[in-house]
Amino acid sequence: MNEDLTILVVDDEDYIRDIFKDYFETATEYTVFTACDGLEALDIIEKEEIDCCFTDLSMPRLDGLELTRRIHLLDNTIPVVVMTGNPTMDNAIETLKNGVVDFLTKPFQIDQILPTIRRVMAERSLFVENILLRKEAEQGRKLLKINQELQQKIKEIESINLILQKLNQVTTSQDLFNTLVKLSGEITVCDEAHFCFFTQQMQEHTIIASFFKDDDNSTASAGWLEKSIVKKVADDGIPCLIKGHNGNNTIIGIPLKIRSEIFGILFAIIKNGPYVFSEKDIYFLNFLAEKASSIVENLALYENIYSNLFATLYAFVEAIEVRDPYTKQHSTMVSNYAMSIAKAYGCSQEEIDKLYVAGNLHDIGKIGIPDNILLKPGRLTEEEYEVIKKHPLTGSNIIGHLGMWTDEQGIIRHHHERYDGKGYPDGLKGKEIPFLSRVLSVADVFDALTTDRAYRQKMPDDVAVKIIKESDGSQFDPEIVAVFVDLCKKGKLKP
């Protein structure tokens, strides 16, 4: 490819223009011009011979679509690549109609840029050649082919965008595997899809996620997936299109790898029917598998770090509880009570998971409280009580330094606030107190009342429930107390 290209970069964000300019000046011999909007870009195009233009869609004064239209009025051989953070189908269709030849979805990797330039410049050469052949008899067929390729490009953009969007939303490994099989059904014509995970040194496979296009088969078994088929894909280590079940089914098998090692296989299956897999189906499933492989490696690393970090912090909590035998397993009990209340209230699984972390770690700030105060059997002095009141803030600061549990940090900080505003550390009132802190507060007090402490014996459950009920609207959120009391009456509050 010609190394003496002149590139124009149009974006209203300074750092985007700087990234392009620095990259091209370091990695290539290209001449680079930059513009902050469409009008400035047109001034440059009128003065300079531009080979390729990268432009943002949304810009002041003159946006990317209008800029593209005007560029092609001046010179319809200049390829325009759109950079956008919102690659919807409407945007894709509109930009393709206006002469855009490719897309870069923000945020993008810098190493995507040179392959994009090579591709669009190659397409430009073909386009120029077609212009020269316009007087020839095959003109119509060539233009039709270009139009078909553009339509296919729209479909490809839609599928790729769907894959990236869905994969970007996963938060756990199992969520990823479920998304993997569901996406297989959305981007291909398969009747069902399964993800097989290997156990026992690649000798056995277990299906851990499945998709069925026909809801009536959603409870069907995929056990018929023959071991020989799984073994063939695993041994070959590459995407395979194979016949199975006496030739009545068509199967695509795509291995998923981490650092060149296969850990599972994605299978898409067409049962008896009029459809067949195309090369595009294999391409998209392989693209899906490659993206999923990189995500599952990152998720596994994150989940391992998360698990180890939580275990370390909980060890500190256990150390605190060992110091005070009267509060042994207090954090576990509070966490369980809080999650039961939240579930009965109708909280999401994400909120319940946050209570699991916050409940187990809510008293970690007590690690800095001296034994003569923490274990004192009698009434605390005013000065000693002020020391005790610091533990929510200390615990919040400990969690905050980790940068992993922002919401949980707030829950811990405010679990001793009161509904009437007389709590600590910030004196928040009513709905100002984070909702999950209000849930945790009820659970914390209930466990404190129903367990032995250095300064008093435990109370019966019914007495503790009565005390909490009498404090709704003053210490506690009345709505949460109502759910708590109902759970206790039904015997469903899980310790």
Side-chain angles (χ1 to χ4, degrees), residues 357-391:
V357 174
N360 278 292
L361 303 180
H362 76 283
D363 275 345
I364 194 171
K366 288 183 177 179
I367 198 167
I369 298 176
D371 284 351
N372 65 310
I373 297 177
L374 184 65
L375 306 181
K376 185 175 180 178
R379 184 179 180 85
L380 297 175
T381 66
E382 185 175 338
E383 291 78 10
E384 290 169 337
Y385 185 54
E386 288 301 318
V387 174
I388 287 287
K389 286 167 64 176
K390 293 179 181 178
H391 81 272

Side-chain angles (χ1 to χ4, degrees), residues 445 449 459 462-472 476:
V445 172
L449 293 174
M459 300 178 183
D462 59 336
V463 175
V465 171
K466 181 180 178 182
I467 291 174
I468 290 175
K469 192 173 187 305
E470 290 173 348
S471 299
D472 69 356
F476 307 111

Side-chain angles (χ1 to χ4, degrees), residues 124-320:
R124 183 194 190 194
S125 297
L126 290 175
F127 182 67
V128 172
E129 181 182 347
N130 284 335
I131 292 176
L132 296 175
L133 294 174
R134 186 167 294 179
K135 296 180 181 180
E136 299 183 7
E138 295 182 358
Q139 172 198 16
R141 288 197 296 271
K142 289 186 178 290
L143 291 177
L144 178 60
K145 182 180 178 181
I146 291 174
N147 183 61
Q148 291 172 338
E149 289 174 351
L150 288 175
Q151 294 301 319
Q152 185 62 37
K153 186 83 169 181
I154 292 175
K155 294 179 180 179
E156 292 176 10
I157 291 171
E158 183 180 22
S159 296
I160 290 174
N161 183 53
L162 177 66
I163 291 171
L164 296 176
Q165 182 183 26
K166 295 292 186 181
L167 291 182
N168 190 49
Q169 296 173 355
V170 302
T171 56
T172 67
S173 296
Q174 186 58 54
D175 188 20
L176 174 65
F177 300 139
N178 292 336
T179 301
L180 194 61
V181 295
K182 185 176 180 180
L183 274 173
S184 299
E186 292 186 44
I187 63 176
T188 73
V189 294
C190 72
D191 295 307
E192 57 187 73
H194 309 281
F195 180 72
C196 300
F197 185 78
F198 283 106
T199 59
Q200 300 181 1
Q201 291 78 44
M202 302 287 289
Q203 298 303 309
E204 299 292 336
H205 70 274
T206 301
I207 295 175
I208 61 175
S210 295
F211 161 82
F212 296 92
K213 186 161 289 185
D214 185 350
D215 291 337
D216 293 337
N217 292 331
S218 59
T219 58
S221 170
W224 64 266
L225 197 58
E226 299 168 9
K227 186 175 181 180
S228 60
I229 295 176
V230 179
K231 186 175 186 304
K232 173 177 173 54
V233 180
D235 290 343
D236 291 348
I238 58 175
C240 295
L241 178 63
I242 50 185
K243 295 286 185 178
H245 219 305
N246 299 320
N248 293 326
N249 299 310
T250 305
I251 304 172
I252 292 179
I254 310 286
L256 273 73
K257 302 178 181 180
I258 293 181
R259 299 178 184 178
S260 301
E261 295 294 330
I262 297 175
F263 70 92
I265 299 176
L266 172 65
F267 286 100
I269 303 162
I270 294 179
K271 311 197 86 171
N272 300 330
Y275 302 108
V276 294
F277 286 120
S278 66
E279 291 183 3
K280 286 294 182 183
D281 290 325
I282 299 176
Y283 167 78
F284 284 126
L285 287 176
N286 190 54
F287 176 80
L288 171 61
E290 287 179 353
K291 295 299 180 183
S293 294
S294 62
I295 291 174
V296 76
E297 183 175 11
N298 292 335
L299 282 173
L301 177 62
Y302 176 82
E303 289 169 356
N304 185 51
I305 293 173
Y306 183 100
S307 177
N308 290 338
L309 185 56
F310 181 81
T312 301
L313 292 176
Y314 191 66
F316 285 117
V317 174
E318 290 181 322
I320 297 169

